[in-house]
Amino acid sequence: MNKELFYEYLKKLNINLTSKELEQLEIYKNILIEYNLHTNLTAIKDEEGIYLKHFYDSLTLQKYLSPHNKILDIGTGAGFPGMVLAIINPHCQFTLLDSNHKKIKFLEYLNSFLQLSNVEFINDRAEVYVKNNLEKFDIVTSRAVADLRIIAELSIPALKINGLFIPLKSHIEEEYNNSFHTLKILGGELIKKEEFTLPIENSKRTILVIKHSQKTSSLYPRSYDKILKKPLKK
């Protein structure tokens, strides 16, 4: 997907980018390719792949955002989806969280060019950060990060009541079927499951929209070792 196709496919999502936003994404793409030559950020290193599998894929979340949302992106990596969304949502506040210092350093370097004022970068373990920021966010998202039971425990406690946990996934059936009890324990309620295919390559994508409908016990999130060893289940 080149830049022109990217722009046209976004129109089908009712997203019309300004010339400034397109320019910022072009800068993002160029810096990502250059930085990736010496620091391993992503396996997707070509322009077409970045526009399709990073930028377009991230923006499929756009319809769920509202002005002035506070959004946490857990395991943001090289900024997907959080940094892409921050570019086109200046009236939302984004926190991009990753335990990998090299990736946060990249995002800080990138933002020295983009100069976004609506984003902060946090280098910390998710369970530690969330434990210190309970019920703070309107939306918590992640893209292809961990099994649903694991990422749900790291995400839902950070949401305000009625906030939304919106993980971006690919093949989800087994995770989805195993997660009902986990979501119930955490006070989460699945309100939407959106399935679609990525343009051009037609790979499967799934967006889950999970509402934080009941207060989560202060027991959660547990330490990451405990989450991995004993995911919440019946």
Side-chain angles (χ1 to χ4, degrees):
M1 177 181 281
N2 59 28
K3 181 167 64 174
E4 290 72 27
L5 271 178
F6 169 68
Y7 185 67
E8 290 303 313
Y9 272 102
L10 284 185
K11 288 181 179 179
K12 297 179 182 180
L13 299 180
N14 295 316
I15 299 172
N16 291 287
L17 299 181
T18 65
S19 57
K20 179 181 178 181
E21 290 163 351
L22 280 170
E23 181 183 356
Q24 288 177 311
L25 288 171
E26 181 77 2
I27 291 169
Y28 194 163
K29 180 260 298 180
N30 289 338
I31 291 175
L32 179 62
I33 290 172
E34 178 186 356
Y35 207 95
N36 208 58
L37 293 174
H38 59 78
T39 302
N40 185 26
L41 299 170
T42 171
I44 299 167
K45 304 174 183 179
D46 61 292
E47 176 176 327
E48 291 77 13
I50 290 169
Y51 273 113
L52 176 62
K53 296 180 182 180
H54 285 329
F55 293 172
Y56 179 91
D57 198 23
S58 294
L59 289 172
T60 58
L61 187 60
Q62 174 65 18
K63 70 178 90 173
Y64 298 105
L65 273 59
S66 299
H68 310 297
N69 279 163
K70 295 182 71 173
I71 300 154
L72 172 63
D73 179 12
I74 293 180
T76 190
F80 311 117
M83 195 69 169
V84 180
L85 291 165
I87 288 172
I88 72 166
N89 292 279
H91 300 298
C92 293
Q93 184 63 44
F94 291 82
T95 298
L96 274 54
L97 174 67
D98 205 286
S99 61
N100 188 316
H101 175 70
K102 290 181 180 179
K103 291 179 179 178
I104 293 298
K105 186 178 178 182
F106 162 73
L107 291 172
E108 292 171 339
Y109 175 74
L110 172 64
N111 203 41
S112 70
F113 293 89
L114 298 181
Q115 294 291 300
L116 302 181
S117 60
N118 63 329
V119 61
E120 66 172 344
F121 310 105
I122 304 293
N123 179 210
D124 202 353
R125 296 184 62 85
E127 71 275 21
V128 174
Y129 178 81
V130 169
K131 201 74 172 179
N132 292 320
N133 291 274
L134 299 173
E135 297 187 11
K136 180 178 178 180
F137 295 93
D138 300 294
I139 293 174
V140 177
T141 189
S142 59
R143 193 180 72 136
V145 175
D147 181 271
L148 183 58
R149 289 179 296 173
I150 294 168
I151 193 63
E153 184 170 342
L154 294 171
S155 300
I156 292 175
L159 285 166
K160 300 173 184 177
I161 297 299
N162 296 321
L164 300 177
F165 166 43
I166 313 179
L168 308 183
K169 292 279 192 174
S170 53
H171 300 286
I172 191 67
E173 287 307 316
E174 184 175 354
E175 291 182 44
Y176 173 72
N177 292 332
N178 290 335
S179 68
F180 293 109
H181 192 65
T182 300
L183 297 179
K184 184 177 180 180
I185 291 173
L186 296 169
E189 173 191 2
L190 180 70
I191 60 174
K192 186 175 183 180
K193 181 184 179 187
E194 178 187 354
E195 297 180 321
F196 61 97
T197 56
L198 210 57
I200 300 172
E201 69 165 31
N202 295 319
S203 56
K204 185 177 179 180
R205 294 290 187 271
T206 306
I207 298 177
L208 300 178
V209 183
I210 297 162
K211 184 178 179 180
H212 188 200
S213 56
Q214 298 181 32
K215 190 174 181 66
T216 305
S217 167
S218 59
L219 294 174
Y220 307 111
R222 298 167 294 163
S223 70
Y224 195 67
D225 285 345
K226 288 183 179 179
I227 296 173
L228 281 179
K229 290 176 182 177
K230 292 186 177 181
L232 296 175
K233 59 184 179 179
K234 288 184 180 180

